[in-house]
Amino acid sequence: MNKKIIRFLWVSFIGLLALCIGVFSAITSFMVRQNNAALNRVVDTYMEGMSTQIQRHFETMVDMRLIQVGGIVQAIPPESVTTLDQTTRERFERAAAYRGFIHLALYSIEGEAEVLYGEDVTVEDKEIFLADMNNGDKLVTLGTTAGGETMLLYGISVGYPNDVGYPMSGGQRCTALVVGLPIDQINNALSLGVDSTLIFTHIIRADGTFVVENADIASDNCYDWIRENGRNYGLEDIDDTMAELRQAVEARTEFSMVVSIGGEAGHVYCVPLPNTEWTMVTVMPRGVLDEALATLGNQRVWTALAGCSIIMLAMLAIFLVYFRFSRQQMAELDKTKQKAEHANRAKSEFLSNMSHDIRTPMNAIVGMTAIATKNIDKPDQVKDCLRKITLSSRHLLGLINDVLDMSKIESGKLTLDMELISLREVMDGIVSIVQPQISAKKQVFDIFIQDIREERVYCDGVRLNQVLINLLSNALKFTPAGGQIHVTLSQEPSPKGEGYIRTHFLVEDTGIGMSPEFQSRIFESFVREDNKRVHKIEGSGLGMAITKYIVDAMDGTIEVQSELNKGSQFHVTLDLERFEEREEEMLLPAWDILVVDDDERLCISAADALQEIGLRADWTLDGSSAIEMAERRHAEARDYHIVLLDWQMPGMDGIETARRMREKIGEDVPILIISAYDWGSIEAEARAAGVSGFLSKPLFKSTLYYGLSRFKEGAEAKNEADQEAGADYTGRRLLVAEDNELNWEIARELLAPYGFELTWAENGRICLEKFQASEPGWYDAVLMDLRMPMMDGYEATRAIRACDRPDADIPIIAMTADAFSEDIQRCIQCGMNAHAAKPLDMRELLRTLQGLMSPTANGPG
């Protein structure tokens, strides 16, 4: 592999590796920051919820105690007490003790206290306390007993605003009723200070001193404790943070911050307590959370590294596999290069062979033309020259068609034109094409029909003909004189479903066969077996490649089996779409038929087909047995209704068998010759021997039905050959659009003998003008070339169809050398009725004209 490519691949891999590591690192760092931010949000939410819960719990407890104090006032209304005697004191004492209070006192407006129950207590922040009481507020504060015990005090105003308070011993009226509880009840009531919890809750005054301290703190002031821990933690902005905290406490607003608590990060959340001047400070150490976060971060980093490693390993594996594939691709490219060089050499050899193959018929054409010119006064020799020129021209045309087809295949432009065809007509056409060559080489040719369920199917008839003709042409070329060539046509259900029928075409010969090496390359382009046995056999080396391509395009298969000097077998399998419309029911009377053929397969298939149309069939393999069977039935007065005799049989052929059978059974029983050969060459001899008629192989069910129907009572025999022979086109007018004068002359000379009157138009525009200038119905058809100056055949056709004339639908037939299926489709799409390829096949052209032209008094219609 190129060193630059290898270096590029490695540099790309290392760069991609570095990029992945960098991306993973950035993602991990970003996720850690996001985790910290998310943790802070979670802790804030959690602390806020916990503080709110504790705050509400404290508020509930305070409200409950204040309600209890109010209950004392309701139990002992101030207006019901005129003097503070012993009885009243005892009532207050009982009310306080019942509610769990350990202290109860009355306070005057000036702040003088009269203790009714418990010890004397010094009120903290007495001025604030009196101000709230005198204003009718409720207040919770602290007090200290003479013994130094801190007490939680609840006070409510009793004299405000109506100056109706309890009388005091000094003759004054009290302004407030105050009760006390031990300070420890706050912790118990609020579940604060539980050792197992991570959260500690303190209550502080505005100056930072502790009201309730639920942890071992070395300082008496919360601010100093937090500041000292923050400095130990290295927080440079701790003074600013403490200023914000003090400001929030004084303003009685919530505040949250993160500081060092005991050497580790702690989350501090402050919230004011209702009905007090205090602030609740909740502290949650984040050591466990930080450890969990660190563990999670480490796990994330290791997971990211593991993921990165896995991806890197996968990339490395992919890289190595790609590297390996690249090396294989380079090796394959080298092989492809070698194949291309081999193909180029093959094409060069092919062109060399084609040059020889093309020059051979061209030499014959030129030579025979020169000979005919020199011997113009010798009709027989000129006729022989013209026959050889015709044969050479057809061979040259076949070579050109193969090259053009291969060009279409290699450019991917060969298309299929699916149409409704008759397999019987296809096989009949094949027989008519190969008959002359088979007769010339005296080869034995037979077609076998087995289990044909659908005669009419959808297929590209032209391409199917091409496949079969290619296979048969090879069989004819490579089978020596006297050899055998068989075609077998059979059908079976298709795996593609009920809408299709699987059709098999089997072409077998007893020719020279092929070597195993050549069999593996037979379907390659530009390949011919390099063997002295085939050097004198004409061919382009493209037929099998074209055949394989057509079969593949039809989603079919083609297989070959061959053995040197023993013959070859080609098997084509196609799944063809059925024609849904049912044909007319083909049934004949229950006649007894005798089938005579030396091939058992043909006898069996013919007997099966006869039974399908309602007949009873016996068969035998030779003429002698046939005569005995017919004679025995004749003696029993139950003659066969019809006898079918093969023409070519060993020992006694069909004509001799017919002659001897007539001697035994008389003239009443029709005897028909069945053969794949031309009837004309043996008709006179056969008639003289007593043969009643002829049936052409292959014996399809329809062939048998229509061939035997003429023997029904009242039926008229139809002889297509006689009809064609009697066709007369005298008076028919054709408008021929052709820009080449030589082609016009050829068309005139070929068509005029049949009675046609031809008018020449040198291009499409002149053709349109002559059509428009003629009377409606003057021309019977238009023969339209496609490639013409001024206006081509397509434009001329569209212009004629657009004319405002009753005969604008005149039959227009493309007469062109553009003979591919896409050319035919384009002709039909632009409005033409049919297509005839150059060089002209007069039989097909006459059949097309007869089918398209309307009948006239002097025509054949």
Side-chain angles (χ1 to χ4, degrees):
M1 188 184 294
N2 193 310
K3 292 184 178 180
K4 290 185 178 180
I5 297 177
I6 296 176
R7 188 182 304 111
F8 170 76
L9 291 175
W10 279 112
V11 170
S12 300
F13 175 75
I14 294 172
L16 186 58
L17 178 64
L19 176 63
C20 289
I21 293 175
V23 170
F24 271 97
S25 300
I27 292 175
T28 302
S29 175
F30 173 75
M31 292 305 298
V32 169
R33 292 195 301 271
Q34 291 296 105
N35 281 347
N36 288 332
L39 180 62
N40 288 333
R41 290 193 296 271
V42 170
V43 171
D44 281 342
T45 303
Y46 178 72
M47 295 291 287
E48 181 180 359
M50 288 295 298
S51 298
T52 301
Q53 182 179 1
I54 295 173
Q55 180 184 11
R56 289 177 180 174
H57 195 178
F58 181 82
E59 184 178 357
T60 301
M61 183 191 69
V62 169
D63 289 342
M64 181 187 69
R65 292 301 183 182
L66 291 175
I67 289 172
Q68 289 177 337
V69 176
I72 295 175
V73 176
Q74 291 179 357
I76 308 173
E79 58 273 13
S80 67
V81 180
T82 57
T83 179
L84 203 60
D85 53 14
Q86 185 62 31
T87 302
T88 302
R89 287 175 178 273
E90 291 175 357
R91 291 178 61 192
F92 276 111
E93 184 177 346
R94 287 195 302 271
Y98 175 75
R99 291 168 173 81
F101 298 130
I102 62 172
H103 172 79
L104 187 147
L106 301 176
Y107 282 81
S108 67
I109 296 174
E110 293 77 12
E112 296 179 4
E114 184 171 352
V115 178
L116 303 180
Y117 175 64
E119 301 180 39
D120 290 338
V121 175
T122 301
V123 178
E124 184 179 286
D125 296 329
K126 190 172 182 179
E127 294 180 359
I128 297 175
F129 170 74
L130 285 176
D132 287 341
M133 294 299 100
N134 291 332
N135 288 331
D137 294 332
K138 300 175 181 179
L139 184 65
V140 179
T141 187
L142 296 180
T144 308
T145 64
E149 180 184 358
T150 302
M151 187 176 295
L152 185 63
L153 301 179
Y154 296 90
I156 63 172
S157 177
V158 231
Y160 183 86
N162 299 321
D163 294 329
V164 180
Y166 294 108
M168 300 178 64
S169 300
Q172 301 174 342
R173 289 276 178 177
C174 73
T175 186
L177 175 64
V178 178
V179 300
L181 289 169
I183 190 65
D184 295 339
Q185 290 192 6
I186 293 181
N187 290 343
N188 296 333
L190 298 181
S191 300
L192 302 176
V194 179
D195 293 338
S196 61
T197 184
L198 292 175
I199 299 178
F200 297 93
T201 303
H202 310 284
I203 298 177
I204 65 172
R205 301 178 181 86
D207 60 1
T209 57
F210 290 100
V211 175
V212 175
E213 180 181 343
N214 285 296
D216 294 333
I217 297 176
S219 176
D220 295 333
N221 190 284
C222 183
Y223 300 150
D224 296 340
W225 171 63
I226 294 174
R227 183 182 291 107
E228 183 178 357
N229 276 277
R231 285 175 179 166
N232 293 336
Y233 190 62
L235 296 178
E236 297 179 357
D237 59 347
I238 186 62
D239 292 331
D240 296 334
T241 303
M242 293 312 301
E244 295 177 3
L245 172 61
R246 186 183 294 273
Q247 183 179 358
V249 171
E250 292 176 354
R252 298 187 64 75
T253 58
E254 298 179 4
F255 186 77
S256 176
M257 63 181 178
V258 178
V259 295
S260 174
I261 305 296
E264 62 181 10
H267 203 100
V268 178
Y269 190 82
C270 303
V271 62
L273 292 175
N275 297 318
T276 70
E277 296 296 325
W278 307 330
T279 298
M280 182 171 65
V281 179
T282 304
V283 180
M284 182 174 70
R286 290 183 50 175
V288 177
L289 292 175
D290 285 343
E291 183 179 352
L293 182 62
T295 302
L296 179 62
N298 290 333
Q299 291 176 349
R300 183 180 296 278
V301 171
W302 284 109
T303 302
L305 289 176
C308 183
S309 301
I310 292 173
I311 293 177
M312 290 299 103
L313 290 175
M315 291 176 57
L316 179 61
I318 294 173
F319 171 77
L320 293 176
V321 172
Y322 174 75
F323 187 76
R324 179 182 177 186
F325 283 168
S326 296
R327 294 177 67 90
Q328 292 177 350
Q329 287 177 349
M330 295 298 294
E332 290 176 359
L333 285 175
D334 188 56
K335 291 181 181 178
T336 304
K337 178 183 176 183
Q338 295 177 3
K339 288 182 179 179
E341 292 174 350
H342 175 73
N344 285 333
R345 287 195 299 269
K347 286 186 178 181
S348 297
E349 293 175 3
F350 162 77
L351 291 175
S352 177
N353 292 334
M354 282 298 297
S355 175
H356 173 269
D357 289 344
I358 290 176
R359 288 176 182 273
T360 298
M362 284 296 297
N363 180 64
I365 293 171
V366 173
M368 288 298 106
T369 302
I371 293 173
T373 303
K374 289 182 180 180
N375 297 277
I376 196 70
D377 56 340
K378 299 178 181 178
D380 291 340
Q381 192 167 359
V382 170
K383 185 176 180 180
D384 182 63
C385 289
L386 292 177
R387 182 181 63 83
K388 292 178 180 179
I389 290 173
T390 301
L391 293 176
S392 298
S393 300
R394 289 178 179 175
H395 172 57
L396 180 61
L397 179 62
L399 293 175
I400 294 173
N401 284 338
D402 281 350
V403 174
L404 294 178
D405 273 347
M406 200 63 226
S407 174
K408 284 284 186 178
I409 289 172
E410 291 195 331
S411 64
K413 295 181 180 179
L414 188 67
T415 58
L416 298 178
D417 183 17
M418 307 305 288
E419 59 182 352
L420 182 62
I421 65 170
S422 168
L423 292 176
R424 176 178 61 83
E425 293 177 0
V426 169
M427 300 309 294
D428 287 345
I430 296 297
V431 169
S432 65
I433 291 173
V434 302
Q435 271 182 354
Q437 300 174 64
I438 287 177
S439 298
K441 294 186 71 173
K442 301 186 182 304
Q443 294 166 330
V444 178
F445 178 66
D446 256 321
I447 297 182
F448 304 105
I449 304 299
Q450 297 176 354
D451 300 324
I452 297 300
R453 308 179 184 187
E454 299 288 339
E455 290 187 19
R456 305 183 72 190
V457 293
Y458 288 97
C459 181
D460 188 326
V462 174
R463 295 302 177 188
L464 179 59
N465 272 332
Q466 190 173 359
V467 168
L468 296 176
I469 289 174
N470 282 346
L471 296 178
L472 282 171
S473 295
N474 275 355
L476 290 168
K477 286 188 293 186
F478 298 110
T479 301
Q484 296 184 5
I485 301 172
H486 294 158
V487 177
T488 303
L489 177 62
S490 62
Q491 289 180 335
E492 64 178 346
S494 170
K496 295 179 69 173
E498 292 294 328
Y500 292 84
I501 186 73
R502 173 156 288 185
T503 305
H504 299 273
F505 301 88
L506 198 66
V507 179
E508 303 170 274
D509 65 65
T510 58
I512 63 176
M514 293 175 280
S515 65
E517 295 77 17
F518 182 68
Q519 290 182 51
S520 63
R521 300 187 301 122
I522 187 172
F523 297 118
E524 296 179 11
S525 304
F526 311 110
V527 173
R528 296 184 69 186
E529 187 167 17
D530 186 14
N531 191 299
K532 294 180 179 180
R533 301 181 308 154
V534 301
H535 277 176
K536 293 184 178 181
I537 298 178
E538 299 171 338
S540 65
L542 296 175
M544 289 297 99
I546 296 171
T547 298
K548 180 67 164 62
Y549 183 90
I550 294 173
V551 172
D552 289 344
M554 292 180 175
D555 293 329
T557 60
I558 181 171
E559 300 172 351
V560 58
Q561 295 180 0
S562 182
E563 189 173 348
L564 284 174
N565 301 318
K566 290 188 178 181
S568 302
Q569 179 190 92
F570 288 88
H571 183 190
V572 176
T573 303
L574 299 174
D575 290 301
L576 303 178
E577 186 178 356
R578 297 173 183 265
F579 178 55
E580 295 298 333
E581 183 180 344
R582 297 290 89 190
E583 296 182 357
E584 61 175 314
E585 186 177 18
M586 291 186 288
L587 285 177
L588 291 175
W591 296 335
D592 292 320
I593 306 293
L594 176 61
V595 179
V596 186
D597 198 291
D598 61 309
D599 192 293
E600 184 176 353
R601 291 180 298 169
L602 188 143
C603 290
I604 294 174
S605 64
D608 291 340
L610 289 167
Q611 288 177 3
E612 289 183 15
I613 60 176
L615 307 180
R616 296 187 295 268
D618 294 333
W619 57 271
T620 185
L621 301 177
D622 59 82
S624 300
S625 299
I627 295 171
E628 291 177 3
M629 294 173 68
E631 186 178 6
R632 185 169 54 250
R633 294 281 297 245
H634 181 71
E636 296 172 357
R638 53 187 191 95
D639 285 314
Y640 287 108
H641 290 83
I642 300 174
V643 176
L644 303 181
L645 286 176
D646 185 30
W647 171 30
Q648 293 186 339
M649 293 186 294
M652 185 186 301
D653 64 15
I655 295 177
E656 181 61 25
T657 302
R659 180 180 295 109
R660 295 188 183 184
M661 191 176 290
R662 285 294 181 206
E663 293 174 357
K664 301 292 184 179
I665 66 173
E667 303 292 329
D668 295 334
V669 177
I671 299 177
L672 304 180
I673 291 292
I674 54 175
S675 176
Y677 298 90
D678 187 16
W679 165 247
S681 62
I682 63 171
E683 182 175 6
E685 183 183 2
R687 295 286 188 189
V691 174
S692 309
F694 178 81
L695 275 183
S696 177
K697 293 181 181 178
L699 298 179
F700 283 89
K701 182 171 69 174
S702 59
T703 304
L704 291 168
Y705 174 77
Y706 291 115
L708 301 180
S709 294
R710 52 183 161 167
F711 296 104
K712 289 195 302 183
E713 186 176 353
E716 296 181 0
K718 296 180 179 179
N719 191 323
E720 293 181 2
D722 292 343
Q723 290 179 356
E724 289 183 4
D728 181 15
Y729 298 93
T730 302
R732 297 285 192 165
R733 301 183 184 91
L734 300 179
L735 178 57
V736 181
E738 175 60 68
D739 63 317
N740 186 288
E741 185 175 358
L742 181 59
N743 287 341
W744 149 250
E745 184 178 349
I746 291 172
R748 182 185 61 190
E749 294 300 323
L750 290 176
L751 290 168
Y754 290 93
F756 288 108
E757 297 178 9
L758 286 78
T759 302
W760 183 27
E762 289 84 348
N763 57 53
R765 185 177 299 280
I766 295 175
C767 176
L768 175 62
E769 292 172 352
K770 288 190 175 184
F771 175 77
Q772 292 174 331
S774 66
E775 297 180 1
W778 177 259
Y779 293 110
D780 294 284
V782 178
L783 300 182
M784 184 74 71
D785 188 22
L786 298 183
R787 301 174 184 267
M788 295 182 292
M790 304 296 290
M791 179 183 288
D792 63 27
Y794 300 111
E795 295 172 332
T797 298
R798 283 190 285 266
I800 290 174
R801 295 293 186 228
C803 290
D804 187 17
R805 293 168 55 106
D807 59 347
D809 60 347
I810 183 175
I812 302 178
I813 302 167
M815 189 175 65
T816 175
D818 294 340
F820 292 112
S821 59
E822 54 266 33
D823 300 320
I824 299 174
Q825 292 175 5
R826 186 180 176 189
C827 291
I828 300 303
Q829 290 170 357
C830 80
M832 297 185 190
N833 299 91
H835 179 281
K838 296 177 181 177
L840 297 176
D841 183 335
M842 289 306 298
R843 179 183 296 181
E844 288 298 323
L845 180 58
L846 291 175
R847 186 180 301 172
T848 300
L849 286 169
Q850 182 175 351
L852 290 176
M853 292 188 304
S854 59
T856 60
N858 58 353

